Amino acid sequence: MTDAPAGPMLAADGTPLKQSLSRALRAQKARSLMLIAPLLIFVLVTFLFPIGDMLFRSVENQIVPETLPKTVAALADWDAKSGEIPDEPVFAALYDDLTVAVANKTNTRLGQRLNYETSGISSLMRGVTRDIRKMDETQPLKPQFLAADPKWGDEAVWQTIQLFSGSYTAGYLLNAVDLRLTPDGISVKPEAERVYVKLFLRTVAMSLAITFSCFVLGYPIAYLLASLPLRSSNLLMILVLLPFWTSLLVRTASWKVLLQQQGVINDLLVWSGIIDNAGRLVMINNATGTIIAMTHILLPFMILPLFSVMKTIPPTYLRAAKSLGANDWTAFWRVYFPQTVPGVGAGAILVFILAIGYYITPELVGGTSGIFISNRIAYHISSSLNWGLAAALATLLLMVVLVLYYTYDRIVGIDNVKLG
């Protein structure tokens, strides 16, 4: 027998084998990273960065301290609960800040931001462009401000500036849950202004109702598709996918025609004698219209995962259960249905996540009682331009989805979700 050679094993090029294998493994990982780099960059740009920007906008408040730095510093010693407006030094600081703001044309943006908290500040800041030029800085400025616009004597204006003087604020997030900042701390908004918590609850409840209705309608259809011969199931699958080939706006507009009181459905019910002409059903501009229209739109997202899972279940399982004495219901409930739970979970998640973020269909058929929180987000982005509140509402909606997703994972288990 010969002794084993001393020292490490060498590769063909003379380098230690372990070092050569490590280098080859690093090269393989680098090539794999290069292959997925475009997708990774795409996800970062289109998903993570927008979410990060949304989270930042929900607390960002830099316009106030950047536009009124001297005023913010002077207001630090003012007691907001004193019942009196600030003294001359604060007005002198305000004059200096607004002079620069008018020159830079940032006073209107400042007014728009503070107007979200206290109405009337926007017009106050717009008027500064005219008033500031008429003031004499060598004379006391407090009476000049009060003479230019009596709103400067409103204690609420100064309280708002002081409360929102930081670079970051919880004001948007508090407004999103019907709360507000006051000199006494956090308080609940008046009853007439509490809308967002109700909208959140309505959004979750209606999304669950849409998910359940899609399950009730989609499960038998998926079972039929999985049971029929391939030729017949393919033909019916075309009908299932047909809504994808039609514009979303066209489908929603069609439901408006079908569901209105003088629409096709009510006409058929009156013609058949089920209801009389005076008792026509109100199925549009309410929650009923939203649920019906969105169930139609999202139904394929429930059927497809169910069908893909059901197709893998051998039909011999049911025959074996029946041969052992089980009736049709027992065979289905104890043998077949548990094997379709992964498809039910996948379909439920798809439908619920899509439903909770929908806004086009609820806007068109939901009226005042059938809209979602996403409709208010779209309103603040496109109409009121309150991007901070829109970002706060979107952030809370994301948190709600994550909490429900976590709850679903704990109860059902995300590992049980399959698409086929």
Side-chain angles (χ1 to χ4, degrees), residues 150-188:
K151 291 181 183 178
W152 289 113
D154 187 355
E155 187 183 7
V157 171
W158 296 101
Q159 289 174 344
T160 301
I161 296 175
Q162 186 184 60
L163 286 172
F164 297 92
S165 59
S167 298
Y168 302 96
T169 179
Y172 290 127
L173 293 171
L174 291 174
N175 285 335
V177 291
D178 296 334
L179 301 175
R180 63 180 179 181
L181 282 175
T182 67
D184 297 321
I186 299 174
S187 66
V188 181

Coordinates of all heavy atoms in Angstrom, one line a residue, residues 150-188:
P150 N -58.5 89.7 9.7 CA -58.9 89.4 11.1 C -58.6 87.9 11.5 O -58.6 87.6 12.7 CB -60.4 89.7 11.2 CG -60.6 90.7 10.1 CD -59.7 90.3 9.0
K151 N -58.5 87.1 10.5 CA -58.2 85.7 10.8 C -56.9 85.5 11.6 O -56.7 84.4 12.2 CB -58.2 84.8 9.5 CG -59.6 84.7 8.8 CD -59.4 83.9 7.6 CE -60.8 83.8 6.8 NZ -60.7 83.0 5.6
W152 N -56.0 86.4 11.5 CA -54.7 86.3 12.2 C -55.0 86.4 13.7 O -54.1 86.0 14.5 CB -53.7 87.3 11.8 CG -53.1 87.1 10.4 CD1 -53.3 87.9 9.3 CD2 -52.3 86.0 10.0 NE1 -52.6 87.3 8.3 CE2 -52.0 86.2 8.7 CE3 -51.7 84.9 10.7 CZ2 -51.2 85.3 8.0 CZ3 -50.9 84.1 10.0 CH2 -50.7 84.3 8.7
G153 N -56.2 86.8 14.1 CA -56.5 86.9 15.5 C -57.2 85.7 16.0 O -57.7 85.6 17.1
D154 N -57.4 84.7 15.1 CA -58.0 83.4 15.5 C -57.0 82.5 16.1 O -56.0 82.1 15.5 CB -58.6 82.7 14.2 CG -59.4 81.5 14.5 OD1 -59.5 81.1 15.7 OD2 -60.0 80.9 13.6
E155 N -57.3 82.1 17.4 CA -56.3 81.3 18.1 C -56.1 79.9 17.4 O -55.0 79.4 17.5 CB -56.9 81.1 19.5 CG -55.9 80.4 20.5 CD -56.5 80.1 21.8 OE1 -57.7 80.4 22.0 OE2 -55.8 79.7 22.7
A156 N -57.1 79.4 16.7 CA -57.0 78.1 16.1 C -55.9 78.1 15.0 O -55.3 77.1 14.8 CB -58.4 77.7 15.5
V157 N -55.7 79.2 14.3 CA -54.7 79.3 13.3 C -53.3 79.1 13.9 O -52.5 78.3 13.4 CB -54.8 80.7 12.6 CG1 -53.6 80.8 11.6 CG2 -56.1 80.8 11.8
W158 N -53.1 79.7 15.0 CA -51.8 79.6 15.7 C -51.6 78.3 16.3 O -50.5 77.7 16.3 CB -51.6 80.7 16.7 CG -51.6 82.1 16.0 CD1 -52.6 83.0 16.0 CD2 -50.5 82.7 15.3 NE1 -52.3 84.1 15.3 CE2 -51.0 83.9 14.9 CE3 -49.2 82.3 15.0 CZ2 -50.2 84.8 14.1 CZ3 -48.4 83.1 14.3 CH2 -48.9 84.3 13.8
Q159 N -52.7 77.7 16.8 CA -52.6 76.4 17.4 C -52.2 75.4 16.3 O -51.4 74.4 16.6 CB -53.9 76.0 18.1 CG -54.2 76.7 19.3 CD -55.6 76.4 19.9 OE1 -56.4 75.9 19.2 NE2 -55.8 76.8 21.1
T160 N -52.8 75.5 15.1 CA -52.5 74.6 14.0 C -51.0 74.7 13.6 O -50.4 73.7 13.4 CB -53.4 74.9 12.8 OG1 -54.8 74.8 13.2 CG2 -53.1 74.0 11.7
I161 N -50.5 76.0 13.5 CA -49.1 76.1 13.1 C -48.2 75.5 14.1 O -47.2 74.9 13.8 CB -48.8 77.6 12.9 CG1 -49.6 78.2 11.8 CG2 -47.3 77.8 12.7 CD1 -49.5 79.7 11.6
Q162 N -48.5 75.7 15.4 CA -47.7 75.1 16.5 C -47.7 73.6 16.5 O -46.7 72.9 16.6 CB -48.1 75.7 17.8 CG -47.1 75.2 19.0 CD -47.6 75.7 20.3 OE1 -48.7 75.4 20.7 NE2 -46.8 76.5 21.0
L163 N -49.0 73.0 16.4 CA -49.1 71.6 16.4 C -48.4 70.9 15.2 O -47.9 69.8 15.4 CB -50.6 71.2 16.4 CG -51.4 71.5 17.7 CD1 -52.9 71.3 17.5 CD2 -50.9 70.5 18.8
F164 N -48.4 71.5 14.1 CA -47.8 70.9 12.9 C -46.5 71.6 12.5 O -46.3 71.8 11.3 CB -48.8 70.9 11.8 CG -50.1 70.1 12.1 CD1 -51.2 70.7 12.7 CD2 -50.1 68.7 11.8 CE1 -52.3 69.9 13.0 CE2 -51.2 68.0 12.1 CZ -52.3 68.5 12.7
S165 N -45.7 71.9 13.5 CA -44.5 72.6 13.2 C -43.3 71.7 13.0 O -42.2 72.1 12.6 CB -44.2 73.6 14.3 OG -44.1 72.9 15.6
G166 N -43.5 70.4 13.3 CA -42.4 69.5 13.1 C -42.2 69.0 11.7 O -43.1 69.1 10.8
S167 N -41.0 68.4 11.4 CA -40.8 67.9 10.1 C -41.6 66.6 9.8 O -41.8 66.3 8.6 CB -39.3 67.6 9.9 OG -38.5 68.8 10.0
Y168 N -42.0 66.0 10.8 CA -42.8 64.8 10.7 C -44.0 64.9 11.6 O -43.9 65.5 12.7 CB -42.0 63.5 11.0 CG -40.8 63.3 10.1 CD1 -39.6 63.8 10.5 CD2 -40.9 62.8 8.8 CE1 -38.5 63.7 9.7 CE2 -39.8 62.7 8.0 CZ -38.6 63.1 8.4 OH -37.5 63.0 7.6
T169 N -45.1 64.3 11.2 CA -46.4 64.4 12.0 C -47.2 63.1 11.9 O -47.1 62.4 10.9 CB -47.2 65.6 11.5 OG1 -48.4 65.7 12.3 CG2 -47.6 65.4 10.0
A170 N -47.9 62.9 13.0 CA -48.9 61.8 13.0 C -50.3 62.2 12.6 O -51.2 61.5 12.6 CB -48.9 61.1 14.4
G171 N -50.4 63.5 12.2 CA -51.7 64.1 11.9 C -52.4 63.4 10.8 O -53.7 63.1 10.9
Y172 N -51.7 63.0 9.7 CA -52.4 62.3 8.6 C -52.9 60.9 9.1 O -54.1 60.6 8.7 CB -51.4 62.1 7.4 CG -51.0 63.4 6.7 CD1 -49.7 63.7 6.5 CD2 -52.0 64.2 6.2 CE1 -49.3 64.8 5.9 CE2 -51.7 65.4 5.5 CZ -50.3 65.7 5.3 OH -50.0 66.8 4.7
L173 N -52.1 60.2 9.8 CA -52.5 58.9 10.2 C -53.7 59.0 11.2 O -54.6 58.1 11.2 CB -51.3 58.1 10.9 CG -50.2 57.7 9.9 CD1 -49.0 57.2 10.7 CD2 -50.7 56.7 8.9
L174 N -53.7 60.0 12.1 CA -54.8 60.2 13.0 C -56.0 60.5 12.3 O -57.1 60.0 12.6 CB -54.4 61.3 14.0 CG -53.3 61.0 15.0 CD1 -53.0 62.2 15.8 CD2 -53.7 59.8 15.9
N175 N -55.9 61.4 11.3 CA -57.1 61.7 10.5 C -57.7 60.5 9.8 O -58.9 60.4 9.6 CB -56.8 62.8 9.4 CG -56.6 64.2 10.0 OD1 -57.2 64.5 11.1 ND2 -55.8 65.0 9.4
A176 N -56.8 59.6 9.4 CA -57.3 58.4 8.7 C -58.1 57.5 9.6 O -58.8 56.6 9.1 CB -56.1 57.6 8.1
V177 N -58.0 57.6 10.9 CA -58.8 56.8 11.8 C -59.8 57.7 12.6 O -60.1 57.4 13.7 CB -57.9 56.0 12.7 CG1 -57.2 54.9 12.0 CG2 -56.9 56.8 13.5
D178 N -60.1 58.8 12.0 CA -61.1 59.8 12.6 C -60.7 60.4 14.0 O -61.5 60.6 14.8 CB -62.5 59.0 12.8 CG -63.1 58.6 11.5 OD1 -62.7 59.3 10.5 OD2 -63.8 57.6 11.5
L179 N -59.4 60.6 14.1 CA -58.8 61.3 15.2 C -58.1 62.6 14.8 O -57.9 62.8 13.6 CB -57.8 60.4 16.0 CG -58.4 59.1 16.5 CD1 -57.2 58.2 17.1 CD2 -59.5 59.3 17.5
R180 N -57.8 63.4 15.7 CA -57.1 64.7 15.4 C -56.2 65.1 16.5 O -56.4 64.8 17.7 CB -58.1 65.8 15.0 CG -59.0 66.2 16.1 CD -60.0 67.3 15.7 NE -60.9 67.6 16.8 CZ -61.8 68.5 16.7 NH1 -62.0 69.1 15.5 NH2 -62.6 68.8 17.7
L181 N -55.2 65.9 16.2 CA -54.3 66.5 17.2 C -54.9 67.8 17.7 O -55.4 68.7 16.9 CB -52.9 66.8 16.6 CG -52.0 65.7 16.4 CD1 -50.7 66.1 15.7 CD2 -51.6 65.0 17.8
T182 N -54.9 68.1 19.0 CA -55.4 69.3 19.6 C -54.4 69.7 20.6 O -53.5 68.9 21.0 CB -56.8 69.1 20.3 OG1 -56.6 68.2 21.4 CG2 -57.8 68.5 19.3
P183 N -54.5 70.9 21.1 CA -53.5 71.4 22.2 C -53.6 70.5 23.4 O -52.7 70.4 24.2 CB -54.0 72.8 22.5 CG -54.6 73.3 21.2 CD -55.3 72.1 20.6
D184 N -54.8 69.8 23.6 CA -54.9 68.9 24.8 C -54.5 67.5 24.5 O -54.7 66.6 25.3 CB -56.4 68.9 25.2 CG -56.9 70.3 25.7 OD1 -56.1 71.0 26.4 OD2 -58.0 70.7 25.4
G185 N -54.0 67.2 23.3 CA -53.6 65.9 22.9 C -54.5 65.3 21.8 O -55.1 66.1 21.0
I186 N -54.6 64.0 21.7 CA -55.3 63.4 20.6 C -56.8 63.3 21.0 O -57.1 62.9 22.2 CB -54.8 62.0 20.3 CG1 -53.3 62.1 19.8 CG2 -55.6 61.2 19.3 CD1 -52.6 60.7 19.7
S187 N -57.7 63.7 20.2 CA -59.1 63.6 20.5 C -59.9 63.0 19.3 O -59.4 63.0 18.1 CB -59.7 65.0 20.8 OG -59.6 65.8 19.7
V188 N -61.1 62.6 19.5 CA -61.9 62.0 18.5 C -62.6 63.2 17.7 O -63.0 64.2 18.3 CB -63.0 61.1 19.1 CG1 -63.9 60.5 18.0 CG2 -62.3 60.0 19.8

